[in-house]
Amino acid sequence: MKYILLISVIGILLLQWTGAIPLGSVGGPMVIAAAVLVAALAVAIHEAWTRKRGVLGWIVNIVVSIVGVLLIAPVGGAVMVTLLLPFMDGSSSLAAAGGPQMAIALAGQMVISLLGSWGALWLLNRWR
């Protein structure tokens, strides 16, 4: 699981550094959301594979992982904005600030979102 987190953070940072995340339109948040959802899917597949789940277990893992991410991702975004607000240099948003502030926010949001996915799967495993 540590490797999934590391690869996801590196991936989202590469998306930012290559300019694949448009900062001035709705496409930016959609690219970020797609990256977070792909990472959550990887977490669900890894957990189902390592615990040798059946078909129904795979489906349940994917649904629970996605629900966990969708519940925690907005919280992660709010936490990162709150933490980085003093370092915005007068910018109105993290996208406008760009640079290291945006990179830290993207990495932090990915970490918090994947923790939500793992937490949801952990709760599911406790219930099973």
Side-chain angles (χ1 to χ4, degrees):
M1 294 285 205
K2 293 180 236 178
Y3 295 117
I4 294 172
L5 181 63
L6 181 64
I7 291 168
S8 299
V9 169
I10 290 171
I12 196 85
L13 292 177
L14 282 175
L15 284 173
Q16 184 213 4
W17 290 333
T18 59
I21 300 176
L23 300 178
S25 68
V26 74
M30 289 180 69
V31 170
I32 295 167
V36 171
L37 288 175
V38 167
L41 182 63
V43 168
I45 290 173
H46 176 268
E47 202 272 340
W49 181 277
T50 56
R51 295 189 185 249
K52 297 178 177 34
R53 304 272 187 226
V55 174
L56 184 60
W58 279 67
I59 293 168
V60 169
N61 270 13
I62 291 170
V63 168
V64 167
S65 179
I66 297 296
V67 167
V69 162
L70 291 177
L71 290 175
I72 297 299
V75 174
V79 166
M80 294 312 298
V81 167
T82 304
L83 289 176
L84 294 174
L85 192 60
F87 306 105
M88 299 270 288
D89 300 327
S91 298
S92 60
S93 69
L94 283 169
Q101 294 96 337
M102 182 73 171
I104 291 169
L106 288 172
Q109 170 135 14
M110 183 64 79
V111 169
I112 293 170
S113 298
L114 288 184
L115 287 176
S117 174
W118 283 322
L121 289 172
W122 178 81
L123 286 174
L124 176 68
N125 289 330
R126 296 282 297 171
W127 182 70
R128 286 183 182 167

